[in-house]
Amino acid sequence: MWMLLWACAPSPVLRDVPLFAGGAPTPEIELGGARFELSALTFEVADLRLYAPAQVSWFQNLGTARAHPGHDNAGDVLGELLGNWELDLLADPALLGEAQVYSGELAQLTFTARTARLVGHRTLGGQVLGFDLSLDLEEEEISGVPLSFELSPEGAVPTLTLLGHALAMLELSLIEVAMDTDGDGSLTLTDSSLANSLPYALLSTLSWSASAQSEEP
């Protein structure tokens, strides 16, 4: 019976799928009583991969095993777009290229983070502090960005879009409450806990989203 079902399953078809990435124009952000004006938010990324849902075995269904959330719960790689790009997260998404993707159900997107730069100023309680924060993200992998879509083996090809969200990155970094601890008149990675909280915010899957559309974004 199982062999018959497997034999009748259609073979996956390799398709070229346009993949866009970016953010959104964000001239001003209000957060926790602070006002941010950003002039740059760039992110260097590499090697985007698309994953199928995790395969769940019969003993996992019985509760004898548990999969971890995120990348550990991913299935096979169904597609990839290899290369290196600098994303402008204060601009509309731009075309990175065409990913080669096998038809089937897509569940996650993963990519490598290399560097990031955040430039702007914060106004809080009448005090204005500028910041120009450059980070080496040490080839960390951002894994498990949710993507729920089934790529058909024929017909129209969708576009895939990866977005980085400036508001989420600022909120998770706690930069709205960071103190100028060294008194130099600006926010740097030596102030408060920004050296730890900002990389965490940039690398969190909560700061990113992925989607499929029938038309270009």
Side-chain angles (χ1 to χ4, degrees), residues 56-93:
V56 180
S57 62
W58 66 271
F59 55 86
Q60 284 177 302
N61 281 330
L62 290 175
T64 58
R66 288 289 184 269
H68 297 289
H71 178 62
D72 291 337
N73 200 29
D76 295 331
V77 177
L78 286 189
E80 61 183 15
L81 178 61
L82 303 182
N84 190 78
W85 301 268
E86 183 172 85
L87 308 184
D88 183 353
L89 301 187
L90 299 183
D92 291 325

PDB file of all heavy atoms in Angstrom, residues 56-93:
ATOM      1  N   VAL A  56       7.812  14.216  10.095  1.00  0.00           N
ATOM      2  CA  VAL A  56       7.503  13.733  11.437  1.00  0.00           C
ATOM      3  C   VAL A  56       7.288  12.227  11.373  1.00  0.00           C
ATOM      4  O   VAL A  56       6.440  11.734  10.620  1.00  0.00           O
ATOM      5  CB  VAL A  56       6.246  14.425  12.004  1.00  0.00           C
ATOM      6  CG1 VAL A  56       5.940  13.902  13.395  1.00  0.00           C
ATOM      7  CG2 VAL A  56       6.459  15.929  12.034  1.00  0.00           C
ATOM      8  N   SER A  57       8.061  11.501  12.147  1.00  0.00           N
ATOM      9  CA  SER A  57       7.948  10.043  12.138  1.00  0.00           C
ATOM     10  C   SER A  57       6.810   9.592  13.055  1.00  0.00           C
ATOM     11  O   SER A  57       6.287  10.355  13.856  1.00  0.00           O
ATOM     12  CB  SER A  57       9.264   9.409  12.591  1.00  0.00           C
ATOM     13  OG  SER A  57       9.561   9.800  13.917  1.00  0.00           O
ATOM     14  N   TRP A  58       6.460   8.328  12.943  1.00  0.00           N
ATOM     15  CA  TRP A  58       5.335   7.813  13.730  1.00  0.00           C
ATOM     16  C   TRP A  58       5.602   7.899  15.220  1.00  0.00           C
ATOM     17  O   TRP A  58       4.711   8.174  16.000  1.00  0.00           O
ATOM     18  CB  TRP A  58       5.044   6.372  13.332  1.00  0.00           C
ATOM     19  CG  TRP A  58       6.146   5.408  13.684  1.00  0.00           C
ATOM     20  CD1 TRP A  58       7.212   5.069  12.927  1.00  0.00           C
ATOM     21  CD2 TRP A  58       6.276   4.682  14.915  1.00  0.00           C
ATOM     22  NE1 TRP A  58       8.022   4.189  13.589  1.00  0.00           N
ATOM     23  CE2 TRP A  58       7.466   3.918  14.816  1.00  0.00           C
ATOM     24  CE3 TRP A  58       5.514   4.593  16.078  1.00  0.00           C
ATOM     25  CZ2 TRP A  58       7.910   3.092  15.839  1.00  0.00           C
ATOM     26  CZ3 TRP A  58       5.955   3.767  17.103  1.00  0.00           C
ATOM     27  CH2 TRP A  58       7.147   3.028  16.973  1.00  0.00           C
ATOM     28  N   PHE A  59       6.893   7.743  15.671  1.00  0.00           N
ATOM     29  CA  PHE A  59       7.130   7.789  17.112  1.00  0.00           C
ATOM     30  C   PHE A  59       7.103   9.210  17.637  1.00  0.00           C
ATOM     31  O   PHE A  59       6.828   9.437  18.810  1.00  0.00           O
ATOM     32  CB  PHE A  59       8.452   7.086  17.484  1.00  0.00           C
ATOM     33  CG  PHE A  59       9.658   7.600  16.770  1.00  0.00           C
ATOM     34  CD1 PHE A  59      10.352   8.693  17.263  1.00  0.00           C
ATOM     35  CD2 PHE A  59      10.125   6.961  15.624  1.00  0.00           C
ATOM     36  CE1 PHE A  59      11.479   9.153  16.616  1.00  0.00           C
ATOM     37  CE2 PHE A  59      11.257   7.430  14.972  1.00  0.00           C
ATOM     38  CZ  PHE A  59      11.929   8.527  15.460  1.00  0.00           C
ATOM     39  N   GLN A  60       7.362  10.227  16.754  1.00  0.00           N
ATOM     40  CA  GLN A  60       7.177  11.609  17.192  1.00  0.00           C
ATOM     41  C   GLN A  60       5.697  11.902  17.398  1.00  0.00           C
ATOM     42  O   GLN A  60       5.315  12.611  18.323  1.00  0.00           O
ATOM     43  CB  GLN A  60       7.768  12.563  16.158  1.00  0.00           C
ATOM     44  CG  GLN A  60       9.298  12.616  16.207  1.00  0.00           C
ATOM     45  CD  GLN A  60       9.851  13.519  15.127  1.00  0.00           C
ATOM     46  OE1 GLN A  60       9.595  13.303  13.951  1.00  0.00           O
ATOM     47  NE2 GLN A  60      10.597  14.521  15.526  1.00  0.00           N
ATOM     48  N   ASN A  61       4.869  11.352  16.527  1.00  0.00           N
ATOM     49  CA  ASN A  61       3.427  11.541  16.702  1.00  0.00           C
ATOM     50  C   ASN A  61       2.935  10.917  17.999  1.00  0.00           C
ATOM     51  O   ASN A  61       1.962  11.371  18.607  1.00  0.00           O
ATOM     52  CB  ASN A  61       2.668  10.923  15.523  1.00  0.00           C
ATOM     53  CG  ASN A  61       2.701  11.814  14.296  1.00  0.00           C
ATOM     54  OD1 ASN A  61       2.768  13.027  14.429  1.00  0.00           O
ATOM     55  ND2 ASN A  61       2.666  11.212  13.116  1.00  0.00           N
ATOM     56  N   LEU A  62       3.595   9.845  18.447  1.00  0.00           N
ATOM     57  CA  LEU A  62       3.210   9.204  19.697  1.00  0.00           C
ATOM     58  C   LEU A  62       3.733   9.944  20.921  1.00  0.00           C
ATOM     59  O   LEU A  62       3.433   9.587  22.042  1.00  0.00           O
ATOM     60  CB  LEU A  62       3.735   7.758  19.713  1.00  0.00           C
ATOM     61  CG  LEU A  62       3.048   6.794  18.737  1.00  0.00           C
ATOM     62  CD1 LEU A  62       3.743   5.445  18.783  1.00  0.00           C
ATOM     63  CD2 LEU A  62       1.572   6.644  19.083  1.00  0.00           C
ATOM     64  N   GLY A  63       4.559  10.969  20.681  1.00  0.00           N
ATOM     65  CA  GLY A  63       5.038  11.769  21.802  1.00  0.00           C
ATOM     66  C   GLY A  63       6.329  11.278  22.412  1.00  0.00           C
ATOM     67  O   GLY A  63       6.723  11.760  23.474  1.00  0.00           O
ATOM     68  N   THR A  64       7.032  10.350  21.767  1.00  0.00           N
ATOM     69  CA  THR A  64       8.287   9.860  22.329  1.00  0.00           C
ATOM     70  C   THR A  64       9.465  10.698  21.923  1.00  0.00           C
ATOM     71  O   THR A  64      10.575  10.472  22.376  1.00  0.00           O
ATOM     72  CB  THR A  64       8.537   8.410  21.892  1.00  0.00           C
ATOM     73  OG1 THR A  64       8.557   8.359  20.452  1.00  0.00           O
ATOM     74  CG2 THR A  64       7.447   7.496  22.428  1.00  0.00           C
ATOM     75  N   ALA A  65       9.259  11.685  21.039  1.00  0.00           N
ATOM     76  CA  ALA A  65      10.347  12.578  20.640  1.00  0.00           C
ATOM     77  C   ALA A  65       9.753  13.940  20.359  1.00  0.00           C
ATOM     78  O   ALA A  65       8.591  14.062  19.997  1.00  0.00           O
ATOM     79  CB  ALA A  65      11.066  12.036  19.407  1.00  0.00           C
ATOM     80  N   ARG A  66      10.560  14.973  20.504  1.00  0.00           N
ATOM     81  CA  ARG A  66      10.102  16.332  20.269  1.00  0.00           C
ATOM     82  C   ARG A  66      11.156  17.068  19.435  1.00  0.00           C
ATOM     83  O   ARG A  66      12.343  17.017  19.744  1.00  0.00           O
ATOM     84  CB  ARG A  66       9.905  17.084  21.609  1.00  0.00           C
ATOM     85  CG  ARG A  66       8.692  16.598  22.397  1.00  0.00           C
ATOM     86  CD  ARG A  66       7.394  17.023  21.730  1.00  0.00           C
ATOM     87  NE  ARG A  66       6.231  16.652  22.520  1.00  0.00           N
ATOM     88  CZ  ARG A  66       5.579  15.529  22.406  1.00  0.00           C
ATOM     89  NH1 ARG A  66       5.979  14.613  21.542  1.00  0.00           N
ATOM     90  NH2 ARG A  66       4.536  15.273  23.155  1.00  0.00           N
ATOM     91  N   ALA A  67      10.714  17.728  18.397  1.00  0.00           N
ATOM     92  CA  ALA A  67      11.632  18.530  17.587  1.00  0.00           C
ATOM     93  C   ALA A  67      11.726  19.933  18.171  1.00  0.00           C
ATOM     94  O   ALA A  67      10.758  20.460  18.713  1.00  0.00           O
ATOM     95  CB  ALA A  67      11.124  18.596  16.149  1.00  0.00           C
ATOM     96  N   HIS A  68      12.898  20.549  18.044  1.00  0.00           N
ATOM     97  CA  HIS A  68      13.091  21.915  18.516  1.00  0.00           C
ATOM     98  C   HIS A  68      12.546  22.889  17.485  1.00  0.00           C
ATOM     99  O   HIS A  68      12.542  22.597  16.291  1.00  0.00           O
ATOM    100  CB  HIS A  68      14.578  22.178  18.754  1.00  0.00           C
ATOM    101  CG  HIS A  68      15.159  21.311  19.823  1.00  0.00           C
ATOM    102  ND1 HIS A  68      14.866  21.472  21.153  1.00  0.00           N
ATOM    103  CD2 HIS A  68      16.011  20.257  19.750  1.00  0.00           C
ATOM    104  CE1 HIS A  68      15.524  20.566  21.864  1.00  0.00           C
ATOM    105  NE2 HIS A  68      16.214  19.820  21.037  1.00  0.00           N
ATOM    106  N   PRO A  69      12.097  24.056  17.915  1.00  0.00           N
ATOM    107  CA  PRO A  69      11.605  25.044  16.957  1.00  0.00           C
ATOM    108  C   PRO A  69      12.753  25.613  16.142  1.00  0.00           C
ATOM    109  O   PRO A  69      13.915  25.507  16.515  1.00  0.00           O
ATOM    110  CB  PRO A  69      10.973  26.110  17.863  1.00  0.00           C
ATOM    111  CG  PRO A  69      11.690  25.973  19.161  1.00  0.00           C
ATOM    112  CD  PRO A  69      11.994  24.508  19.297  1.00  0.00           C
ATOM    113  N   GLY A  70      12.403  26.270  15.017  1.00  0.00           N
ATOM    114  CA  GLY A  70      13.424  26.907  14.209  1.00  0.00           C
ATOM    115  C   GLY A  70      14.021  25.941  13.213  1.00  0.00           C
ATOM    116  O   GLY A  70      13.377  25.016  12.733  1.00  0.00           O
ATOM    117  N   HIS A  71      15.300  26.166  12.882  1.00  0.00           N
ATOM    118  CA  HIS A  71      15.959  25.403  11.829  1.00  0.00           C
ATOM    119  C   HIS A  71      16.001  23.910  12.152  1.00  0.00           C
ATOM    120  O   HIS A  71      15.960  23.079  11.248  1.00  0.00           O
ATOM    121  CB  HIS A  71      17.379  25.942  11.631  1.00  0.00           C
ATOM    122  CG  HIS A  71      18.160  25.195  10.603  1.00  0.00           C
ATOM    123  ND1 HIS A  71      17.767  25.136   9.282  1.00  0.00           N
ATOM    124  CD2 HIS A  71      19.289  24.471  10.688  1.00  0.00           C
ATOM    125  CE1 HIS A  71      18.633  24.420   8.601  1.00  0.00           C
ATOM    126  NE2 HIS A  71      19.566  24.005   9.426  1.00  0.00           N
ATOM    127  N   ASP A  72      16.106  23.550  13.423  1.00  0.00           N
ATOM    128  CA  ASP A  72      16.141  22.138  13.787  1.00  0.00           C
ATOM    129  C   ASP A  72      14.861  21.425  13.375  1.00  0.00           C
ATOM    130  O   ASP A  72      14.825  20.214  13.292  1.00  0.00           O
ATOM    131  CB  ASP A  72      16.341  21.976  15.305  1.00  0.00           C
ATOM    132  CG  ASP A  72      17.728  22.407  15.739  1.00  0.00           C
ATOM    133  OD1 ASP A  72      18.623  22.400  14.878  1.00  0.00           O
ATOM    134  OD2 ASP A  72      17.902  22.737  16.912  1.00  0.00           O
ATOM    135  N   ASN A  73      13.799  22.179  13.132  1.00  0.00           N
ATOM    136  CA  ASN A  73      12.524  21.587  12.761  1.00  0.00           C
ATOM    137  C   ASN A  73      12.288  21.691  11.255  1.00  0.00           C
ATOM    138  O   ASN A  73      11.163  21.578  10.797  1.00  0.00           O
ATOM    139  CB  ASN A  73      11.394  22.287  13.516  1.00  0.00           C
ATOM    140  CG  ASN A  73      10.141  21.439  13.561  1.00  0.00           C
ATOM    141  OD1 ASN A  73      10.202  20.218  13.539  1.00  0.00           O
ATOM    142  ND2 ASN A  73       8.997  22.093  13.613  1.00  0.00           N
ATOM    143  N   ALA A  74      13.362  21.913  10.479  1.00  0.00           N
ATOM    144  CA  ALA A  74      13.237  22.030   9.038  1.00  0.00           C
ATOM    145  C   ALA A  74      13.412  20.681   8.380  1.00  0.00           C
ATOM    146  O   ALA A  74      14.045  19.778   8.916  1.00  0.00           O
ATOM    147  CB  ALA A  74      14.271  23.010   8.501  1.00  0.00           C
ATOM    148  N   GLY A  75      12.838  20.563   7.188  1.00  0.00           N
ATOM    149  CA  GLY A  75      13.024  19.353   6.403  1.00  0.00           C
ATOM    150  C   GLY A  75      14.142  19.518   5.405  1.00  0.00           C
ATOM    151  O   GLY A  75      15.137  20.201   5.667  1.00  0.00           O
ATOM    152  N   ASP A  76      13.972  18.933   4.231  1.00  0.00           N
ATOM    153  CA  ASP A  76      15.006  18.979   3.199  1.00  0.00           C
ATOM    154  C   ASP A  76      15.105  20.365   2.578  1.00  0.00           C
ATOM    155  O   ASP A  76      14.141  21.134   2.550  1.00  0.00           O
ATOM    156  CB  ASP A  76      14.692  17.964   2.101  1.00  0.00           C
ATOM    157  CG  ASP A  76      14.741  16.533   2.606  1.00  0.00           C
ATOM    158  OD1 ASP A  76      15.501  16.269   3.565  1.00  0.00           O
ATOM    159  OD2 ASP A  76      14.000  15.690   2.062  1.00  0.00           O
ATOM    160  N   VAL A  77      16.289  20.677   2.042  1.00  0.00           N
ATOM    161  CA  VAL A  77      16.468  21.900   1.265  1.00  0.00           C
ATOM    162  C   VAL A  77      15.768  21.724  -0.078  1.00  0.00           C
ATOM    163  O   VAL A  77      16.057  20.779  -0.818  1.00  0.00           O
ATOM    164  CB  VAL A  77      17.964  22.203   1.045  1.00  0.00           C
ATOM    165  CG1 VAL A  77      18.120  23.448   0.164  1.00  0.00           C
ATOM    166  CG2 VAL A  77      18.681  22.408   2.368  1.00  0.00           C
ATOM    167  N   LEU A  78      14.834  22.642  -0.389  1.00  0.00           N
ATOM    168  CA  LEU A  78      14.121  22.583  -1.664  1.00  0.00           C
ATOM    169  C   LEU A  78      14.642  23.601  -2.668  1.00  0.00           C
ATOM    170  O   LEU A  78      14.351  23.485  -3.870  1.00  0.00           O
ATOM    171  CB  LEU A  78      12.623  22.808  -1.460  1.00  0.00           C
ATOM    172  CG  LEU A  78      11.822  21.665  -0.838  1.00  0.00           C
ATOM    173  CD1 LEU A  78      10.340  21.974  -0.909  1.00  0.00           C
ATOM    174  CD2 LEU A  78      12.115  20.337  -1.525  1.00  0.00           C
ATOM    175  N   GLY A  79      15.370  24.593  -2.197  1.00  0.00           N
ATOM    176  CA  GLY A  79      15.850  25.606  -3.125  1.00  0.00           C
ATOM    177  C   GLY A  79      16.927  26.470  -2.509  1.00  0.00           C
ATOM    178  O   GLY A  79      17.130  26.467  -1.289  1.00  0.00           O
ATOM    179  N   GLU A  80      17.624  27.220  -3.378  1.00  0.00           N
ATOM    180  CA  GLU A  80      18.675  28.093  -2.876  1.00  0.00           C
ATOM    181  C   GLU A  80      18.984  29.182  -3.896  1.00  0.00           C
ATOM    182  O   GLU A  80      18.740  29.037  -5.096  1.00  0.00           O
ATOM    183  CB  GLU A  80      19.946  27.300  -2.565  1.00  0.00           C
ATOM    184  CG  GLU A  80      20.563  26.597  -3.759  1.00  0.00           C
ATOM    185  CD  GLU A  80      21.771  25.758  -3.388  1.00  0.00           C
ATOM    186  OE1 GLU A  80      21.979  25.488  -2.185  1.00  0.00           O
ATOM    187  OE2 GLU A  80      22.522  25.369  -4.309  1.00  0.00           O
ATOM    188  N   LEU A  81      19.495  30.284  -3.357  1.00  0.00           N
ATOM    189  CA  LEU A  81      20.058  31.367  -4.161  1.00  0.00           C
ATOM    190  C   LEU A  81      21.373  31.720  -3.494  1.00  0.00           C
ATOM    191  O   LEU A  81      21.388  32.296  -2.397  1.00  0.00           O
ATOM    192  CB  LEU A  81      19.107  32.561  -4.211  1.00  0.00           C
ATOM    193  CG  LEU A  81      19.614  33.782  -4.989  1.00  0.00           C
ATOM    194  CD1 LEU A  81      19.874  33.425  -6.441  1.00  0.00           C
ATOM    195  CD2 LEU A  81      18.616  34.941  -4.898  1.00  0.00           C
ATOM    196  N   LEU A  82      22.483  31.365  -4.136  1.00  0.00           N
ATOM    197  CA  LEU A  82      23.792  31.540  -3.536  1.00  0.00           C
ATOM    198  C   LEU A  82      24.438  32.830  -4.037  1.00  0.00           C
ATOM    199  O   LEU A  82      24.274  33.219  -5.191  1.00  0.00           O
ATOM    200  CB  LEU A  82      24.696  30.340  -3.877  1.00  0.00           C
ATOM    201  CG  LEU A  82      24.152  28.963  -3.467  1.00  0.00           C
ATOM    202  CD1 LEU A  82      25.155  27.876  -3.825  1.00  0.00           C
ATOM    203  CD2 LEU A  82      23.819  28.923  -1.981  1.00  0.00           C
ATOM    204  N   GLY A  83      25.139  33.496  -3.130  1.00  0.00           N
ATOM    205  CA  GLY A  83      25.796  34.749  -3.477  1.00  0.00           C
ATOM    206  C   GLY A  83      25.900  35.636  -2.263  1.00  0.00           C
ATOM    207  O   GLY A  83      25.682  35.202  -1.122  1.00  0.00           O
ATOM    208  N   ASN A  84      26.248  36.893  -2.499  1.00  0.00           N
ATOM    209  CA  ASN A  84      26.431  37.869  -1.430  1.00  0.00           C
ATOM    210  C   ASN A  84      25.756  39.173  -1.841  1.00  0.00           C
ATOM    211  O   ASN A  84      25.936  39.639  -2.966  1.00  0.00           O
ATOM    212  CB  ASN A  84      27.924  38.097  -1.184  1.00  0.00           C
ATOM    213  CG  ASN A  84      28.184  38.905   0.066  1.00  0.00           C
ATOM    214  OD1 ASN A  84      28.125  38.386   1.166  1.00  0.00           O
ATOM    215  ND2 ASN A  84      28.456  40.193  -0.091  1.00  0.00           N
ATOM    216  N   TRP A  85      24.972  39.753  -0.926  1.00  0.00           N
ATOM    217  CA  TRP A  85      24.222  40.976  -1.242  1.00  0.00           C
ATOM    218  C   TRP A  85      24.241  41.917  -0.043  1.00  0.00           C
ATOM    219  O   TRP A  85      24.300  41.484   1.107  1.00  0.00           O
ATOM    220  CB  TRP A  85      22.765  40.654  -1.564  1.00  0.00           C
ATOM    221  CG  TRP A  85      22.578  39.721  -2.699  1.00  0.00           C
ATOM    222  CD1 TRP A  85      22.410  40.034  -4.024  1.00  0.00           C
ATOM    223  CD2 TRP A  85      22.507  38.291  -2.622  1.00  0.00           C
ATOM    224  NE1 TRP A  85      22.258  38.897  -4.769  1.00  0.00           N
ATOM    225  CE2 TRP A  85      22.321  37.811  -3.934  1.00  0.00           C
ATOM    226  CE3 TRP A  85      22.609  37.374  -1.574  1.00  0.00           C
ATOM    227  CZ2 TRP A  85      22.217  36.458  -4.231  1.00  0.00           C
ATOM    228  CZ3 TRP A  85      22.509  36.030  -1.855  1.00  0.00           C
ATOM    229  CH2 TRP A  85      22.316  35.574  -3.166  1.00  0.00           C
ATOM    230  N   GLU A  86      24.153  43.223  -0.324  1.00  0.00           N
ATOM    231  CA  GLU A  86      23.921  44.207   0.729  1.00  0.00           C
ATOM    232  C   GLU A  86      22.480  44.687   0.614  1.00  0.00           C
ATOM    233  O   GLU A  86      22.093  45.275  -0.403  1.00  0.00           O
ATOM    234  CB  GLU A  86      24.882  45.385   0.633  1.00  0.00           C
ATOM    235  CG  GLU A  86      24.684  46.374   1.794  1.00  0.00           C
ATOM    236  CD  GLU A  86      25.742  47.450   1.851  1.00  0.00           C
ATOM    237  OE1 GLU A  86      25.560  48.462   1.138  1.00  0.00           O
ATOM    238  OE2 GLU A  86      26.740  47.282   2.581  1.00  0.00           O
ATOM    239  N   LEU A  87      21.708  44.425   1.644  1.00  0.00           N
ATOM    240  CA  LEU A  87      20.300  44.811   1.664  1.00  0.00           C
ATOM    241  C   LEU A  87      20.152  46.201   2.261  1.00  0.00           C
ATOM    242  O   LEU A  87      20.775  46.526   3.278  1.00  0.00           O
ATOM    243  CB  LEU A  87      19.485  43.820   2.498  1.00  0.00           C
ATOM    244  CG  LEU A  87      19.632  42.333   2.180  1.00  0.00           C
ATOM    245  CD1 LEU A  87      18.665  41.528   3.057  1.00  0.00           C
ATOM    246  CD2 LEU A  87      19.410  42.050   0.710  1.00  0.00           C
ATOM    247  N   ASP A  88      19.319  47.009   1.652  1.00  0.00           N
ATOM    248  CA  ASP A  88      18.928  48.300   2.208  1.00  0.00           C
ATOM    249  C   ASP A  88      17.560  48.109   2.849  1.00  0.00           C
ATOM    250  O   ASP A  88      16.548  48.011   2.154  1.00  0.00           O
ATOM    251  CB  ASP A  88      18.873  49.354   1.111  1.00  0.00           C
ATOM    252  CG  ASP A  88      18.543  50.741   1.651  1.00  0.00           C
ATOM    253  OD1 ASP A  88      18.221  50.859   2.856  1.00  0.00           O
ATOM    254  OD2 ASP A  88      18.599  51.712   0.865  1.00  0.00           O
ATOM    255  N   LEU A  89      17.533  48.062   4.175  1.00  0.00           N
ATOM    256  CA  LEU A  89      16.289  47.787   4.883  1.00  0.00           C
ATOM    257  C   LEU A  89      15.425  49.026   5.070  1.00  0.00           C
ATOM    258  O   LEU A  89      14.363  48.948   5.688  1.00  0.00           O
ATOM    259  CB  LEU A  89      16.578  47.122   6.233  1.00  0.00           C
ATOM    260  CG  LEU A  89      17.352  45.806   6.170  1.00  0.00           C
ATOM    261  CD1 LEU A  89      17.421  45.168   7.549  1.00  0.00           C
ATOM    262  CD2 LEU A  89      16.757  44.844   5.155  1.00  0.00           C
ATOM    263  N   LEU A  90      15.884  50.164   4.530  1.00  0.00           N
ATOM    264  CA  LEU A  90      15.049  51.369   4.522  1.00  0.00           C
ATOM    265  C   LEU A  90      14.517  51.650   3.126  1.00  0.00           C
ATOM    266  O   LEU A  90      14.037  52.753   2.848  1.00  0.00           O
ATOM    267  CB  LEU A  90      15.848  52.578   5.036  1.00  0.00           C
ATOM    268  CG  LEU A  90      16.377  52.474   6.473  1.00  0.00           C
ATOM    269  CD1 LEU A  90      17.084  53.761   6.865  1.00  0.00           C
ATOM    270  CD2 LEU A  90      15.266  52.149   7.456  1.00  0.00           C
ATOM    271  N   ALA A  91      14.592  50.661   2.257  1.00  0.00           N
ATOM    272  CA  ALA A  91      14.108  50.807   0.881  1.00  0.00           C
ATOM    273  C   ALA A  91      13.186  49.640   0.547  1.00  0.00           C
ATOM    274  O   ALA A  91      13.181  48.611   1.219  1.00  0.00           O
ATOM    275  CB  ALA A  91      15.286  50.845  -0.096  1.00  0.00           C
ATOM    276  N   ASP A  92      12.404  49.830  -0.504  1.00  0.00           N
ATOM    277  CA  ASP A  92      11.533  48.752  -0.972  1.00  0.00           C
ATOM    278  C   ASP A  92      12.376  47.562  -1.419  1.00  0.00           C
ATOM    279  O   ASP A  92      13.538  47.716  -1.810  1.00  0.00           O
ATOM    280  CB  ASP A  92      10.666  49.239  -2.129  1.00  0.00           C
ATOM    281  CG  ASP A  92       9.621  50.258  -1.688  1.00  0.00           C
ATOM    282  OD1 ASP A  92       9.110  50.130  -0.561  1.00  0.00           O
ATOM    283  OD2 ASP A  92       9.327  51.185  -2.472  1.00  0.00           O
ATOM    284  N   PRO A  93      11.816  46.356  -1.376  1.00  0.00           N
ATOM    285  CA  PRO A  93      12.572  45.166  -1.758  1.00  0.00           C
ATOM    286  C   PRO A  93      13.115  45.248  -3.191  1.00  0.00           C
ATOM    287  O   PRO A  93      12.447  45.744  -4.097  1.00  0.00           O
ATOM    288  CB  PRO A  93      11.550  44.032  -1.623  1.00  0.00           C
ATOM    289  CG  PRO A  93      10.551  44.555  -0.644  1.00  0.00           C
ATOM    290  CD  PRO A  93      10.468  46.018  -0.884  1.00  0.00           C
TER     291      PRO A  93
END
